[in-house]
Amino acid sequence: MKIPPLISYLGKSIAFGLMVAALLLLFFPTLRGGALLPDLISNSREMSFSYAAHRAGPAVVNIYTRSFAGARGEKAELRPQGLGSGVIMNPRGHVLTNYHVIADADQIIVALQDGRVFSAELVGTDRLTDLAVLYIESDNLPVIPQDPDLRPDVGDVVLAIGNPYNVGQTITQGIISATGRLGLSSMGPDSNGRQDLLQTDAAINEGNSGGALVNANGDLVGINTAAYHLNGNQESYGISFAIPYRLAKRIMDELITNGRVIRGYLGISSVEINPIVARMMNLGDLRGLVVESLDPTGPAARGGLRRGDVLLKINGEAISGVRAAMDKIVESRPGAQMTISVIRDGKPFELTVTIEEDLRYQNQQAASAAGSS
């Protein structure tokens, strides 16, 4: 007997539907209890940063400082002075924090999240970047996760971990709002040599200084250093700063190795060539820096550079901006020869200058220490 086409079509459809249902029940047992497929699809865990918090949190420590005060008689009493946070950077016990957290402290106490408490030794400080390295002696120390290839970018989700107001370890969340903030890189003779900062809207309060800024994986992005308040207004939220990880790590390594940071010095102040500067100086499409002023006794002046010179390359590499040029100079060892491609009065040529060590701030710091002793 011949089956009508309509009945044949319906039979095949029903058979196919039963087969699909059987497969769903076999591979998704939760559907047997009456759960709907849309519920299954949306039944995922809400977005959480607990993985990053648990991965990085144990390596962020509380720092307490004490100083001798009121020594009128024969006894000098140690009294609480300050509060901050720090980050354990390696298993040897080196802790990175802000300089201003431990400045003028006579005793530094480091408290771990597992309850251990240590008296820390000061390894070295760098006031220009507001960084200090401490040392604690212990085994089985938690170390903050680090990725040397990490390149933070605007919009990245970040977590600030620290001990605000001594309430205990606290984690706040935000994004990187900007990089290279405050124009802290400068080639000027009077600049303080500080590098660019990361700006974030993650809350950083008193006690957070020296703590960790990490990404959603728990990798260290920077060292929290400051919150911005306009004219002392403590209600200015959303503008906080951190020292980038790569800079902080480099400073830490130098402090551990040398006890101080050795910086190269050229002795010029410059501006980038933008379209306006290029038009005024008839430079066309050239990109680089224009020398505004020089330290008359600095290596640049002695090497033959003049005000108004256009700098195009350093050691054969095109100059992309003031900050990049500053990095090359600061990271050069004193005594190193630096070849600079220059245009003067429309004529290109090269100059070789010898980098010197930047002792300006060290001299200021020594004078300040002598004045306060």
Side-chain angles (χ1 to χ4, degrees), residues 20-33 35 37 40-41:
V20 171
L23 290 174
L24 286 173
L25 290 173
L26 177 63
F27 290 105
F28 301 101
T30 54
L31 289 176
R32 299 172 187 172
L37 185 59
L40 178 67
I41 295 174

Side-chain angles (χ1 to χ4, degrees), residues 64-338:
Y64 306 92
T65 60
R66 298 198 295 177
S67 60
F68 290 106
R72 290 186 177 182
E74 296 182 358
K75 281 190 174 182
E77 184 181 355
L78 271 173
R79 297 182 180 177
Q81 179 193 31
L83 167 72
S85 303
V87 181
I88 301 176
M89 297 293 291
N90 57 46
R92 291 175 292 167
H94 290 110
V95 178
L96 196 55
T97 186
N98 285 149
Y99 167 78
H100 74 261
V101 169
I102 53 84
D104 303 321
D106 293 305
Q107 185 181 43
I108 304 171
I109 305 297
V110 172
L112 274 64
Q113 304 307 315
D114 60 14
R116 287 181 286 175
V117 178
F118 303 93
S119 180
E121 173 187 342
L122 180 61
V123 175
T125 63
D126 183 55
R127 292 178 62 183
L128 293 181
T129 51
D130 193 25
L131 288 171
V133 178
L134 311 176
Y135 171 74
I136 57 176
E137 187 173 354
S138 182
D139 298 325
N140 301 318
L141 290 171
V143 177
I144 195 81
Q146 299 164 59
D147 179 3
D149 298 323
L150 184 67
R151 296 293 186 274
D153 201 359
V154 174
D156 289 351
V157 173
V158 288
L159 310 175
I161 309 177
N163 180 25
Y165 306 114
N166 201 28
V167 299
Q169 188 172 97
T170 302
I171 301 175
T172 57
Q173 180 263 333
I175 63 169
I176 293 178
S177 309
T179 59
R181 264 310 187 218
L182 297 185
L184 294 176
S185 284
S186 171
M187 297 178 70
D190 298 323
S191 77
N192 63 13
R194 288 187 65 176
Q195 305 297 302
D196 55 303
L197 296 178
L198 301 174
Q199 179 182 325
T200 175
D201 62 350
I204 296 176
N205 299 299
E206 183 179 351
N208 274 106
S209 292
L213 189 72
V214 303
N215 62 16
N217 292 321
D219 298 317
L220 184 63
V221 173
I223 301 296
N224 300 323
T225 187
Y228 175 77
H229 299 293
L230 183 61
N231 297 327
N233 178 13
Q234 297 301 310
E235 295 184 357
S236 299
Y237 300 111
I239 305 180
S240 302
F241 300 99
I243 303 162
Y245 161 70
R246 294 183 67 203
L247 171 63
K249 177 68 164 53
R250 181 170 63 81
I251 296 298
M252 181 190 76
D253 290 343
E254 284 213 42
L255 290 175
I256 293 172
T257 302
N258 304 315
R260 63 189 179 92
V261 178
I262 300 174
R263 292 181 170 88
Y265 177 65
L266 187 60
I268 67 171
S269 175
S270 61
V271 293
E272 294 184 21
I273 300 176
N274 55 39
I276 297 177
V277 173
R279 190 179 306 115
M280 292 175 59
M281 300 185 66
N282 297 318
L283 297 176
D285 296 329
L286 289 178
R287 289 293 176 266
L289 307 177
V290 178
V291 177
E292 279 192 317
S293 62
L294 295 92
D295 176 353
T297 63
R302 291 200 304 274
L305 279 175
R306 299 179 187 174
R307 185 174 181 272
D309 283 349
V310 179
L311 313 184
L312 301 179
K313 296 180 180 180
I314 294 179
N315 292 336
E317 294 185 17
I319 297 174
S320 59
V322 173
R323 188 159 57 245
M326 178 65 183
D327 289 342
K328 288 181 181 295
I329 294 167
V330 168
E331 294 175 10
S332 298
R333 306 302 293 181
Q337 299 288 312
M338 180 172 284

